[in-house]
């Protein structure tokens, strides 16, 4: 079967992954309304394409926090890549480097940060962080990431507790015995009690700032109020995210929330978005609405499930080709020409 | 099969209850539009969740008419609990007390008020009342309820006549011979002519007031005009309700009507809502829009059908856990932090 | 099978009528969008029911053009009743009289006006008229109707040519040889060329007026502009109608058009509506939006198909009971209490 | 099977064409959202039909760029007609002439312009042009078309690159060996590299103008901004088009874009529209919203697939009859009476 678009990878993954792994990756909270809305909301945005502009030379590169990437699509932090492919996050790191884009490694990786770094030296990587009850554990992770050359910290803000994902409850989901949350080994006992600290507040950004010179990006912001607080607390970037619809169900689709966050931020920090990206034209829409870059979660896992790093490169390459083509067909030859004039919200 | 969410109980009840009982509980008037809208309307409300607020200590208790309950979900008045479980309303009373919440016992119970009281002494209970053509019968019921320690009267306003529920007509629904409307025995002959008085008007609130010192709550209000009348006639509370979509079809969903009732009431009395609650996050939405508490009807019956009082406790515990989690994920540590800023109406 | 609601009669008719007859009655123009919209549009209207009003004595009678009918539902003009029941329009006339309501007999009846009159002497009947190329034929019909005691003329305005009903084309629909358009026999040869005159304009109302002292009602108006013209040309009533969706597809649903027609008319003449009435509560909605009375087309044919005049009475009785009940549940004891405050348009 | 409406031809073509040909004609870009929206958008437009206007004599003729056509429906440029019928574009030309309407021959024809001209001498034809990297090739095509009596040039603006049509990728679509892009033979090697020039800009209109005295029409405009540019660069007409939804997916439906283009153009040049026309009433809607004429793409191919030129005439005749009937039922006796008062946009 030809792998023509991202849905082909989704169908493959659904067919070949163990059910418990597929269910875990696919899960949304409660009724999965927000998970699905992330995708549907893109369909309500319509292009206003412009004709007869010179699109013979296309430049789809962009910069995030000063680093150039080959096109504005990075890898969002997701856990447990070994559930998708034996080499796990090492494959992810290699694919991201091969495609010259950014990979946000998750705290919940099944490879250590050291293994990830060694797998793809020189790749652009950020590190996703939860703040743990055991603050020393978090501090150590931050220091390791900084020492290994990760170039930013991505603090996940939307998981004081884990969302209710019904299939995981039904399946009694847990990692197979041969997989480990390797970055957390020794630091604390997993699974007895959630190691995450639900008392974290905005002031903890200052604590985090005191630990590191890396830029801090906050992930999980969905309102203008929180966007303003993020800027005031000195973060360098915001990822508009609802955790793939896995936390609070029936919040806004991320592409809808992006609009109000971008308005509130007024260019003071970079804004990114994840959730619901399935086509190159979705990337174009996100950029038109003010995102500097998007990050893909489940599609990256489907790519891994298909053929490891090669499969993930296939996914990224398809997105890249589709993004370039949709830019050209909309009349933009470079990312700098993308703007809100390109889109309108459908009334339906 | 694991009982993970309320739909699991619904599926169980649909499978194991006698068809005539399932149909009776499930029935809506006419095309069942309003019954279904009660649920759909919740899905059109979107959260605006706030991040990085200390939600390590969660307090989900609330008070209704001055009585504390463990979380803002009570049991709405529904009839004929023996159709769902042999012990009928006695089981309901026990489950409500075990979960420390309020149970509104129906006039159309298959146990007497005395049996209900004896089954769970000390539980917080209100008594739901219809006004009968035979006013003496109603008066006696009010006096019995007051003497038994019921703490409020809930006058149902939306049933001058019974709605047209097609399945009940097709099934020729009537109670099995071994079940009785025990509270009405002797007072009048049931089934010849409806014992309810369709000439009741607002002035009858004054008559009811003259019979009892209990607070009077009116159930079935759907418009700002009637909410204003209710307040002016001295009720202590309003339950926004459309009788589970069993009376006038194609009226408003209760969560939509709640908004206009709350606006009209301007805090002068407590406002509650029933209809369409299927998840803990629905409770959060209702509170955000101004309800002091919600009441569940059919889900309580599904719980009874599953395992009697134990099954109903399961249902309440799931709602409680989901409510607490959705509060935390929305950034609220106590019920007092819930407000309209948490929600917006989807344009779709 | 119990006949509980109008859909039961529809299902019966679909099952037992010859396909060519069912198709003819069910047909809509083109994609049948307007036929179906007539029904869907009712579902977008929501009641605002009022509580605690004395509805112990219900009065559902109304008057149309000064004649009292038992409830505000009459029989719309439809053709070829013998396709549904052997006695054809004679049965229709008897059922209408038995239920004390108005029957608008069609020019395209399979019984003569004389037979119809003789079948149910004293019944309230109006006569539906097309203007033919052969004006003498039309004039004779008007005179016969007037002489037979028909109390109004209903001029159909929306059929200069017949709409394109695909199933009729596929079926090669024509009347079985034993049925005749009896009112037109002798007047002109049917089926060679349409006998209807597509050059009719508003001025022909004056010509019609010159022929008769009967009130003239115009049927098929859908816009405020035409409603204004109708009033200015001296008609006594307007039936908002799109011919059951059988003429121009993708015009407005009649209940939507009713609103603008009622506004334009400002009470100067009576306004009625047909199309899409399937429940008693639809009648209540139409009256709340300003209709004096509604007329049913296909449901009457389903009733005939079920059991002739008895079946049609069943249909009317169900509508009557449902209308009375929905009035009571909305808080209205008489037709005069029905008004626009009872409804709102759903935003969905 | 009777061929009653255009869907009948679609069903026939889907059944009898080789899958690869059907897929090619049916294809839309990406998710085919825009392809399908072209049709759905028509359904959201509602007529406001007017009654009692003299429609006994119908005149449905119109003029485009000064040439009279029998009704306002022409043949849009589509490629590879031999995939639908052995005689290919020669049949198309004959059918268009027989029906006295305009045929826009595509650069990607499987017959030469000379063959097309010879097949139907005297027919009204326009020539659709892409601008090639090899400008000489384009220049030669223009000169040939002009010499052969084509009466306008239609420059396609929305194809700097070919859209991503998933089925074509999966099928590995290419022309069967016995078919050729005959107009391009010798001019350059097809299929190695796209011969189209993605650097074309508005200034190339001036270059095109310098080559020919034919009117220039630009095809593929979807925004008011580009409509204004088109007028300023001196084109004689605009075809609002999204290439049948085959280029940038999730742009506007053409009938929606027509509104803004017509507003921007303010009558300075003629505006046409293609995409989504499936019924005569769609033509009426397009004209009501300001189009001078519509063009059909896929329906013409279905007609060819059915019976060659005869089948295409059937398609055109059905559209003609439906258009005439819908005009009459809306109250218009001639094209000049059609205007925006006839339609409104549904809120749904």
């Amino acid at each position: 079967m030809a792998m023509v678009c991202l849905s082909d990878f989704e169908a493959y993954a659904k067919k070949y992954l163990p059910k418990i792994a597929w269910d875990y990756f696919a899960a949304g909270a409660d009724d999965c309304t927000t998970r699905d809305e992330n995708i549907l909301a893109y369909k309500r945005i319509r292009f206003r394409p412009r004709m007869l502009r010179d699109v013979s030379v296309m430049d789809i590169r962009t910069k995030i926090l000063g680093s150039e990437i080959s096109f504005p699509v990075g890898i969002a932090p997701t856990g447990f890549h070994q559930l998708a492919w034996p080499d796990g996050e090492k494959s992810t790191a290699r694919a991201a480097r091969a495609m010259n884009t950014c990979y946000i490694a998750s705290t919940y990786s099944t490879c250590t940060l050291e293994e990830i770094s060694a797998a793809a030296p020189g790749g652009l990587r950020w590190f996703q962080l939860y703040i743990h009850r055991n603050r020393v554990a978090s501090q150590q992770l931050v220091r390791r990431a900084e020492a290994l050359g990760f170039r930013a910290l991505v603090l996940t803000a939307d998981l004081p507790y884990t969302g209710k994902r019904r299939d995981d409850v039904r399946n009694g989901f847990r990692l197979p015995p041969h997989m480990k949350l390797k970055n957390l080994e020794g630091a604390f006992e997993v699974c007895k009690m959630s190691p995450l600290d639900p008392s974290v507040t905005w002031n903890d950004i200052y604590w985090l700032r005191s630990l590191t010179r890396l830029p801090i990006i906050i992930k999980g912001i969905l309102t203008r109020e929180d966007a303003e607080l993020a800027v005031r607390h000195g973060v360098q970037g915001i990822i508009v995210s609802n955790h793939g619809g896995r936390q609070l169900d029936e919040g806004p689709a991320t592409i809808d929330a992006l609009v109000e966050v971008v308005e509130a931020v007024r260019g003071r920090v970079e804004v990114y978005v994840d959730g619901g990206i399935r086509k190159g034209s979705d990337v174009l829409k996100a950029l038109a609405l003010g995102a500097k870059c998007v990050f893909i979660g489940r599609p990256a896992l489907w790519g891994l499930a298909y053929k490891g790093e090669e499969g993930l490169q296939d996914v990224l390459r398809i997105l890249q080709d589709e993004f370039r083509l949709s830019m050209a067909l909309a009349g933009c030859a470079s990312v700098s020409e993308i703007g809100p004039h390109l889109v309108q919200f459908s009334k339906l």
Side-chain angles (χ1 to χ4, degrees), chain A:
Chain A
M1 176 187 171
M3 304 308 267
V4 174
C5 58
L6 267 55
S7 320
D8 295 333
F9 292 83
E10 182 178 19
Y12 182 95
K14 185 165 189 180
K15 187 166 173 188
Y16 288 103
L17 278 183
K19 181 182 183 315
I20 202 170
W22 166 261
D23 281 355
Y24 173 76
F25 291 142
D30 294 337
D31 289 326
C32 301
T33 302
T34 295
R35 178 194 68 181
D36 296 341
E37 267 290 295
N38 276 350
I39 294 172
L40 292 172
Y42 274 101
K43 297 198 178 299
R44 292 192 291 265
I45 300 169
R46 293 273 176 274
F47 289 112
R48 296 176 43 78
R50 303 296 305 275
M51 302 299 142
L52 298 187
R53 294 154 84 106
D54 180 349
V55 289
S56 56
V57 180
M58 299 295 299
D59 182 356
I60 62 173
R61 293 168 302 167
T62 193
K63 283 186 179 177
I64 51 176
L65 294 184
S67 300
E68 186 178 297
I69 50 179
S70 68
F71 77 122
V73 176
I75 312 290
T78 52
F80 312 157
H81 289 194
Q82 284 188 357
L83 281 177
W85 188 255
D87 260 10
E89 288 80 3
K90 289 184 284 185
S91 292
T92 315
R94 286 186 204 112
R97 189 184 58 176
M99 291 297 294
N100 191 19
T101 190
C102 177
Y103 162 35
I104 310 180
S106 165
T107 289
Y108 289 156
S109 295
T110 42
C111 303
T112 61
L113 296 184
E114 289 74 12
E115 289 169 327
I116 292 170
S117 291
L124 174 62
R125 279 183 292 275
W126 297 350
F127 175 62
Q128 177 271 332
L129 182 78
Y130 292 109
I131 297 184
H132 298 90
R133 293 183 199 265
N134 178 345
R135 295 286 170 112
V136 177
S138 293
Q139 186 171 342
Q140 288 171 347
L141 279 169
V142 169
R143 299 244 159 103
R144 279 165 68 195
E146 187 164 2
L148 288 164
F150 284 80
R151 296 208 224 151
L153 289 181
V154 176
L155 176 67
T156 296
D158 59 5
L159 204 134
Y161 303 97
T162 302
K164 180 173 181 177
R165 302 158 198 171
R166 293 176 187 170
D167 281 348
D168 287 350
V169 180
R170 290 186 211 286
N171 292 337
F173 174 76
R174 49 181 309 165
L175 279 186
H178 62 286
M179 296 185 203
K180 306 278 180 222
L181 296 184
K182 286 204 173 168
N183 286 310
L184 303 177
E185 277 187 306
F188 36 69
E189 192 69 29
V190 179
C191 284
K192 282 276 171 58
M193 175 189 175
S194 168
L196 304 184
D197 184 353
S199 76
V200 171
T201 67
W202 290 100
N203 286 331
D204 291 294
I205 305 273
Y206 299 133
W207 169 76
L208 197 57
R209 168 58 56 238
S210 75
L211 301 182
T212 178
R213 298 193 315 191
L214 291 178
I216 296 173
I217 294 165
I218 190 159
K219 173 169 175 281
I221 300 305
L222 292 167
T223 60
R224 67 174 65 81
E225 297 90 335
D226 280 347
E228 180 62 34
L229 285 171
V231 173
R232 288 202 196 157
H233 284 81
V235 304
Q236 273 73 43
I238 291 172
I239 304 183
V240 175
S241 173
N242 51 32
H243 218 108
R246 298 160 77 84
Q247 288 295 101
L248 181 65
D249 197 24
E250 301 182 358
T254 49
I255 191 67
D256 291 336
L258 176 69
V259 175
E260 84 173 67
V261 168
V262 164
E263 265 181 29
V265 163
R266 298 194 313 275
R268 292 174 286 171
V269 303
E270 294 190 352
V271 180
Y272 321 106
V273 66
D274 69 18
I277 300 283
R278 296 295 178 269
K279 299 189 295 184
S281 58
D282 295 336
V283 184
L284 180 57
K285 288 175 181 177
L287 265 66
L289 293 169
K292 187 75 178 164
C293 175
V294 309
F295 292 91
I296 56 169
R298 293 184 185 93
L301 296 162
W302 305 333
L304 285 178
Y306 176 55
K307 276 192 192 171
E309 65 199 74
E310 205 180 318
L312 175 47
Q313 282 185 60
D314 288 347
V315 162
L316 288 166
R317 206 172 291 115
I318 285 173
L319 276 177
Q320 199 175 62
D321 290 344
E322 288 179 348
F323 173 62
R324 185 190 297 109
L325 178 57
S326 59
M327 270 180 64
L329 296 182
C332 300
S334 80
V335 165
S336 64
E337 294 173 28
I338 301 171
H341 59 279
L342 279 188
V343 291
Q344 60 191 340
F345 281 82
S346 161
K347 284 155 288 186
L348 296 175

